């Protein structure tokens, strides 16, 4: 089922080239959580110490709508959409939550 992404004025979803460029990068969020996208399709999310620490592992794929879908080892999964709004990179969840990524 397709997701109706809750975009705000100025949101521009990342294009295919920008999404492919996520491979090999770690994105840090303002709560100090870190998403790491590996070139081979592996994914990990490391929680900040304030959020209990620990790391969740899985794989990711880029969907036709430009979202990144993650399947975790525990069987859970989700899709998120990365957008640029001005110079700010944000992750939008399927439920519309918005998480800005810290600039590198």
């Amino acid at each position: 089922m397709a997701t109706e992404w809750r975009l705000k004025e100025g949101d521009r979803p990342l294009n295919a080239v920008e999404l492919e460029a996520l491979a090999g990068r770690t994105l840090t969020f303002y709560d100090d959580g870190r998403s790491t996208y590996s070139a081979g399709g592996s994914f990990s999310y490391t929680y900040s110490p304030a959020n209990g620490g620990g790391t969740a592992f899985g794989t990711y794929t880029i969907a036709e709508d430009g979202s990144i879908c993650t399947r975790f080892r525990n069987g859970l999964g989700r899709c998120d959409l990365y957008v640029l709004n001005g110079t700010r990179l944000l992750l939008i969840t399927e439920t519309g939550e918005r998480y800005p990524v810290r600039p590198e």
Side-chain angles (χ1 to χ4, degrees):
M1 180 180 346
T3 298
E4 292 285 332
W5 296 105
R6 297 178 190 166
L7 301 179
K8 292 188 176 182
E9 185 174 333
D11 285 348
R12 180 185 65 77
L14 296 188
N15 62 39
V17 171
E18 292 166 324
L19 288 167
E20 292 293 334
L22 290 177
R25 290 185 59 196
T26 297
L27 303 176
T28 303
F29 297 89
Y30 280 89
D31 69 351
D32 291 325
R34 295 184 319 272
S35 289
T36 301
Y37 297 91
S38 297
S42 295
F43 173 82
S44 66
Y45 182 81
T46 302
Y47 294 88
S48 69
N51 287 319
T55 302
F57 296 96
T59 58
Y60 75 95
T61 57
I62 299 171
E64 285 186 28
D65 70 353
S67 60
I68 294 184
C69 297
T70 305
R71 175 67 52 199
F72 294 96
R73 287 184 186 167
N74 66 5
L76 298 177
R78 63 186 250 189
C79 294
D80 300 307
L81 186 71
Y82 280 101
V83 300
L84 282 172
N85 192 305
T87 59
R88 178 169 270 186
L89 178 64
L90 299 111
L91 176 143
I92 302 174
T93 68
E94 292 172 309
T95 60
E97 296 172 288
R98 299 170 67 88
Y99 296 98
V101 176
R102 285 188 183 174
E104 294 180 334

